[in-house]
Amino acid sequence: MIPYHGRTGSLSIVRFTCTTPLFYVNASPHMGSAYPTLAADALARYYRLRGDEVLMITGCDEHGEKIALTAQERGLEPQALCDQIVGEFKALWEQLGIEPDRFIRTTDPRHTPIVQEFLARVWAKGDIYKADYEGLYCVGCEEFKDPKDLIDDQLCPLHRKPVVTRREENYFFALSNYQQALDTFFAANPGFVQPESRFNEVKGWVKEGLRDFSISRAAVQWGIPLPQDPTQTVYVWFDALLGYVTALLEPTEAPTLDQALTRWPAQLHIIGKDILRFHAVYWPAMLMSAGVALPDKIFGHGHLTKDGLKMGKSLGNVLDPFDLVARYGTDAVRYYFLKGIEFGKDGDFALDRFVHTLNADLANDLGNLLNRTLALVRKNNQSLIPPGEADNALRTAAEHQVPLAQTAYESLDFNGACEAALNIARAGNRYLDDQAPWSLFKKGDPQKALAVLANVLEAVRISAVLLSPITPSLSQRILSQLGCDLNMPLRWEDTAWGGLVVGQPTGEPAPVFLRLDPTA
């Protein structure tokens, strides 16, 4: 579970800040970059339902050698490349229904003073020194590599490209000074990194011994100048991680570190496991050095894979999310990647499983249940919500599943949250078949038959509310057909039984989720 400051009771106003990685703009976005952002968006929507004050942060990391080289290859200035790719990220977020509160760019002029002030604090602490360094460097990772971590002594395991020997005189951060402090912090905060397997990995890195790392580059001009030595630029990770802090500034506020830190710390960083070391070792030590509080939690999700390899721009095996949305719709993409793949583990994309999951869950279990029930209400009660029963099997099922959904969302178990919502719909299908209201009409018991239909529609309504963080558009279509007032924002209280109003006109029965055709 994610701890939150100041929560009293089940529903109170709490600031919840959640961040995604700041995505590198050396190439167009792909499904691997959309994946953590979908998760952050769903989590933000959930906490807004709970009544919390939410700040969801995403953005782009735009400095560094790799950006400059890519721009040069395309005949562009680095800023022009950044502007182009950032536009693609924003377009994709819109296509996927992702609504961040902040979109931070590390080329934003307001970011520079934050980085330089933070650096000054670390400098004043005595944790920065100048030294010559020679090592094996991966341009893709923008990181020196330990020889033991390479494939065949020469290939980066992530990018599958040869590393290069590089020697530079740079400024270094004394990460080794924080070995004991990190050990102590990890012991006192056993849930700091999740899942647990990731935390074990992080603690293993620290136990092996921490090496100081370079925080500047002499050969890279595309970056923030080091105030203490303008001939060098700030290392891309020391720059990018502070984007989480800059993003906290209101647009009209002066860009000072103290001002930004009034809204720190973040409650949750959602990141890919490939950048776990930077977020769970480098970042905490940097914050300790600067005298800044650490984030509450870091969640390292697994990789989306294709052909058994991590989906990534550098490997050229990406899945185009624009194409998926165009073919199957926003709800389909959001639902599958959050429900069909266990968040925290690797998951391989397979089209047949994608289609089967969506058809079974959304078209059949939920959509068909709503459609056939509304058709019976239209036929037998002039499309008006009939009176239901105060106590019935569906109410029992819903009241059991709603707390499970809450626990699942707060544990980043999006599969579990979807299952809780779908379990209510599945119970509705069984209940409808068992009660057979069509037979009750024929037997001359319309009151009982209509009560059954009302109970089913109420179960569908609750399912739609529970799913709204995952599939907001689908939930809106369901609620619209039920005749609910879409001008009223959803609240967590709407998961309580009894939200439908007797006599409320329902909409025209129509499929809310069309069955997918894998050959389309």
Side-chain angles (χ1 to χ4, degrees), residues 289-302:
S289 177
V292 176
L294 274 59
D296 287 355
K297 194 171 300 296
I298 297 167
F299 192 98
H301 67 76

Side-chain angles (χ1 to χ4, degrees), residues 343-362:
F343 199 63
K345 295 185 177 180
D346 293 347
D348 202 66
F349 178 82
L351 184 59
D352 56 348
R353 184 166 180 262
F354 174 84
V355 170
H356 173 76
T357 298
L358 290 155
N359 285 343
D361 291 2
L362 302 187

Side-chain angles (χ1 to χ4, degrees), residues 471-489:
T471 55
S473 296
L474 172 64
S475 294
Q476 288 283 293
R477 292 196 297 276
I478 292 171
L479 295 172
S480 176
Q481 286 203 20
L482 290 172
C484 298
D485 184 359
L486 300 185
N487 293 318
M488 295 294 292

Side-chain angles (χ1 to χ4, degrees), residues 14 59 74 82 147 156 173 190 239 252 312 341 366 371 449 458 493 511:
V14 180
R74 297 189 186 186
C82 293
C156 168
F173 173 65
D239 168 357
T252 58
I341 296 173
L366 186 59
N371 192 258
E458 180 65 6
E493 293 97 320

Side-chain angles (χ1 to χ4, degrees), residues 176-467:
S176 56
N177 288 352
Y178 291 89
Q179 174 121 12
Q180 184 59 53
L182 287 172
D183 275 334
T184 300
F185 179 81
F186 292 162
N189 297 272
F192 178 61
V193 177
Q194 293 184 355
E196 185 179 0
S197 60
R198 303 267 188 271
F199 203 9
N200 290 337
E201 189 176 6
V202 169
K203 288 183 282 190
W205 291 332
V206 175
K207 186 176 181 180
E208 288 174 2
L210 297 179
R211 296 188 304 169
D212 299 348
F213 67 91
S214 170
I215 62 154
S216 72
R217 294 290 184 267
V220 181
Q221 295 182 346
W222 180 241
I224 296 175
L226 197 69
Q228 296 81 359
D229 185 349
T231 66
Q232 303 216 13
T233 54
V234 178
Y235 174 48
V236 63
W237 277 103
F238 216 93
D239 168 357
L241 288 163
L242 283 160
Y244 301 139
V245 176
T246 305
L248 299 173
L249 291 166
E250 295 292 342
T252 58
E253 290 177 335
T256 68
L257 183 59
D258 284 340
Q259 182 61 50
L261 290 175
T262 60
R263 300 183 184 92
W264 184 262
Q267 275 67 57
L268 177 67
H269 291 321
I270 294 178
I271 59 161
K273 65 180 183 180
D274 55 315
I275 54 175
L276 185 60
R277 188 191 301 266
F278 297 105
H279 284 79
V281 179
Y282 291 17
W283 181 225
M286 289 162 54
L287 292 167
M288 288 176 177
S289 177
V292 176
L294 274 59
D296 287 355
K297 194 171 300 296
I298 297 167
F299 192 98
H301 67 76
H303 288 154
L304 299 182
T305 58
K306 191 177 181 184
D307 304 321
L309 294 174
K310 174 185 177 285
M311 204 178 292
K313 293 173 282 194
S314 59
L315 296 179
N317 66 337
V318 299
L319 186 64
D320 183 358
F322 288 103
D323 179 62
L324 277 179
V325 171
R327 292 173 65 188
Y328 302 111
T330 299
D331 289 311
V333 176
R334 288 180 65 102
Y335 184 81
Y336 177 77
F337 282 97
L338 292 177
K339 195 267 186 182
I341 296 173
E342 184 177 347
F343 199 63
K345 295 185 177 180
D346 293 347
D348 202 66
F349 178 82
L351 184 59
D352 56 348
R353 184 166 180 262
F354 174 84
V355 170
H356 173 76
T357 298
L358 290 155
N359 285 343
D361 291 2
L362 302 187
N364 292 352
D365 287 343
L366 186 59
N368 188 51
L369 176 63
L370 173 64
N371 192 258
R372 62 179 179 148
T373 308
L374 280 179
L376 287 168
V377 171
R378 183 186 186 194
K379 178 181 178 181
N380 297 284
N381 203 49
Q382 300 177 312
S383 294
L384 303 177
I385 296 290
E389 297 171 323
D391 297 306
N392 60 83
L394 282 186
R395 179 172 185 168
T396 301
E399 291 178 346
H400 175 69
Q401 295 295 330
V402 166
L404 298 181
Q406 177 182 342
T407 299
Y409 274 121
E410 295 183 11
S411 302
L412 279 73
D413 177 10
F414 300 108
N415 174 283
C418 290
E419 278 296 300
L422 264 292
N423 282 339
I424 297 173
R426 290 166 187 147
N429 279 293
R430 293 191 298 270
Y431 177 81
L432 193 64
D433 291 340
D434 290 344
Q435 297 295 319
W438 44 88
S439 296
L440 293 173
F441 283 122
K442 291 179 181 178
K443 293 177 180 178
D445 193 354
Q447 183 176 355
K448 172 63 175 175
L450 289 172
V452 168
L453 299 178
N455 296 339
V456 172
L457 292 181
E458 180 65 6
V460 171
R461 185 194 65 80
I462 293 172
S463 293
V465 176
L466 291 178
L467 282 176

Side-chain angles (χ1 to χ4, degrees), residues 141-191:
C141 293
E142 304 223 24
E143 179 188 26
F144 284 100
K145 295 292 185 180
D146 191 313
K148 68 180 177 59
D149 294 329
L150 300 176
I151 298 174
D152 299 329
D153 299 322
Q154 62 175 338
L155 295 180
C156 168
L158 181 61
H159 294 96
R160 308 296 172 110
K161 292 182 179 180
V163 295
V164 295
T165 300
R166 180 171 289 184
R167 179 176 181 176
E168 280 188 359
E169 185 179 49
N170 294 329
Y171 291 89
F172 282 74
F173 173 65
L175 180 65
S176 56
N177 288 352
Y178 291 89
Q179 174 121 12
Q180 184 59 53
L182 287 172
D183 275 334
T184 300
F185 179 81
F186 292 162
N189 297 272

